[in-house]
Amino acid sequence: MHHYLLDSTITTNLSKCFKLPLTYKTIDVFFKCGLNLSDAAKELYIHRNTLIYRLDKIQRYISYDIRDFNNAILVKILFFIWTEKNNFYLKMFSE
């Protein structure tokens, strides 16, 4: 696990990752299912191995394995902040 929260490369990769609809949904559902692979796969209507493949791709891209609790906490916080920030801008520009 990295010991620096706001390294620009990591935050850039996280932001790019969160912008991808399939990746965003995968991360969102995985967190909502409490990091439970089987429950998340059912919720996403995909095979468990497909979810594992997606999580492996996410890990390679952002350098954090969100199946690991310590990594998941950090990514969840950044995911929440990114989502709130982007929802704010979407609401602001849609009015």
Side-chain angles (χ1 to χ4, degrees):
M1 183 166 110
H2 300 288
H3 296 298
Y4 37 89
L5 178 60
L6 297 175
D7 180 283
S8 64
T9 305
I10 290 173
T11 54
T12 300
N13 286 350
L14 282 167
S15 183
K16 286 179 184 177
C17 188
F18 296 159
K19 288 179 184 175
L20 302 170
L22 185 65
T23 304
Y24 181 92
K25 184 168 178 73
T26 300
I27 293 169
D28 187 41
V29 169
F30 187 62
F31 285 149
K32 285 180 181 174
C33 290
L35 310 182
N36 185 300
L37 286 169
S38 297
D39 291 348
K42 286 177 191 173
E43 185 75 24
L44 291 164
Y45 300 103
I46 59 175
H47 193 278
R48 188 175 179 275
N49 290 343
T50 302
L51 177 58
I52 291 169
Y53 173 76
R54 287 184 190 178
L55 295 174
D56 286 342
K57 279 181 66 175
I58 292 167
Q59 179 184 359
R60 283 193 301 276
Y61 194 70
I62 66 172
S63 302
Y64 287 97
D65 183 2
I66 62 173
R67 291 167 285 196
D68 175 72
F69 182 75
N70 292 323
N71 289 325
I73 292 171
L74 178 60
V75 174
K76 182 160 178 115
I77 291 167
L78 295 171
F79 184 75
F80 175 78
I81 292 168
W82 187 89
T83 300
E84 290 300 310
K85 177 182 162 192
N86 286 284
N87 284 340
F88 171 77
Y89 287 121
L90 289 173
K91 288 176 188 174
M92 189 170 75
F93 290 115
S94 66
E95 295 176 348

